[in-house]
Amino acid sequence: MLAKRIIPCLDIKDGATVKGINFLGLKNVGDPVELGRKYALEGADELVYLDISATLEGRKTFARLVEKIAGNINIPFTVGGGISSVEDAGALLKAGADKVTVNSAAVRDPALIDGIASKYGSQFVVVAIDAALTDGVWRVTTHGGSRTTDKELYRWALEAQRRGAGEILFTSMDHDGTKNGFACDVYARLNGMLSIPVVASGGAGSREHIAEVLTAGKADAALAASIFHYNEIPIPQLKAYLAAEGIPVRL
């Protein structure tokens, strides 16, 4: 069985790592390169850097930062935020990113997935999907969960895979930030439908939550932010716990 992956997520605004709830009340939580190096040394399997800068200058700062990250970190890292064209993706891959993630832009223009995958390969494309349970249906949302679309989660995940996504990163907006656990039934269903890996995001508050989503939820990887940034669950302790529970992880 393939090892399950533990992935810290770092939100970046104007070159700094920040943390807030739904991008509000942002606090600077550290230098992106140093934090990335720390997580790599502690045993993180991959990193995700998401650019939440609203300005063009912020985007330029992020591209320069990607080059710096690539030169200082020895584990794979994915970058996203504001990628709306094949050219945007290409610039970040050329700067040294291992993968790019697309979200709202792919919902607006699904052909973006095809374009990036056909030019660079499916292994470089992560489609991030945010969704919330609305009247008994998981509806895809955009803009940090603030806008509900007419897309249904499972159909959109299948379409993303068909168009060339190499991985799905799903966040339940109902669970995100609650630290009450993941939507394990949803991850299990996604895993059963898809032939590509599924990364779980939204709800990590304890070691048990992560173990549950990697077992009952059948997720291939678990992504979290606050629990790592505030050292609530150090990665070495988390991985030791998972290994003791019989979950295959890279130690």
Side-chain angles (χ1 to χ4, degrees):
M1 181 184 279
L2 288 173
K4 304 285 189 175
R5 291 170 287 148
I6 300 301
I7 307 175
C9 180
L10 298 86
D11 289 336
I12 307 299
K13 182 170 173 58
D14 300 327
T17 311
V18 295
K19 192 71 193 99
I21 296 175
N22 292 330
F23 307 137
L24 300 174
L26 297 175
K27 298 177 184 174
N28 188 327
V29 293
D31 176 77
V33 177
E34 289 309 310
L35 265 179
R37 283 165 61 96
K38 171 180 177 284
Y39 293 145
L41 287 169
E42 288 179 347
D45 298 290
E46 296 180 21
L47 300 169
V48 170
Y49 287 91
L50 296 178
D51 177 22
I52 64 169
S53 299
T55 64
L56 179 61
E57 188 52 45
R59 300 274 186 242
K60 291 177 182 174
T61 300
F62 185 64
R64 291 193 295 269
L65 176 63
V66 170
E67 291 185 355
K68 195 172 176 186
I69 294 165
N72 284 273
I73 290 172
N74 62 356
I75 59 174
F77 70 99
T78 300
V79 299
I83 295 173
S84 57
S85 67
V86 174
E87 291 72 27
D88 288 343
L92 294 169
L93 289 168
K94 285 169 186 164
D98 295 279
K99 292 181 268 190
V100 294
T101 179
V102 291
N103 190 335
S104 297
V107 173
R108 283 195 309 273
D109 177 17
L112 176 63
I113 303 168
D114 307 68
I116 300 172
S118 62
K119 182 158 188 178
Y120 295 104
S122 290
Q123 70 271 26
F124 294 104
V125 187
V126 179
V127 173
I129 303 176
D130 300 339
L133 195 58
T134 305
D135 297 327
V137 178
W138 282 95
R139 294 283 177 203
V140 175
T141 65
T142 61
H143 299 80
S146 64
R147 299 185 191 177
T148 302
T149 74
D150 61 357
K151 289 188 183 292
E152 189 267 341
L153 166 64
Y154 301 108
R155 282 201 293 270
W156 175 229
L158 282 168
E159 181 180 348
Q161 175 179 271
R162 178 175 57 78
R163 288 180 176 277
E167 196 162 75
I168 297 293
L169 167 58
F170 169 60
T171 302
S172 162
M173 300 312 292
D174 298 332
H175 295 71
D176 193 43
T178 65
K179 296 190 178 181
N180 289 330
F182 294 86
C184 289
D185 56 334
V186 180
Y187 292 105
R189 184 173 170 186
L190 284 169
N191 182 277
M193 293 168 46
L194 302 171
S195 59
I196 57 177
V198 176
V199 180
S201 165
S206 69
R207 302 176 307 175
E208 291 78 12
H209 291 155
I210 292 172
E212 183 183 25
V213 82
L214 295 176
T215 52
K218 300 181 181 178
D220 297 275
L223 176 145
S226 294
I227 61 169
F228 298 135
H229 297 340
Y230 298 122
N231 209 37
E232 294 168 14
I233 307 176
I235 293 171
Q237 292 179 25
L238 171 61
K239 283 197 154 184
Y241 169 79
L242 295 174
E245 292 294 305
I247 299 169
V249 290
R250 182 180 63 83
L251 295 171

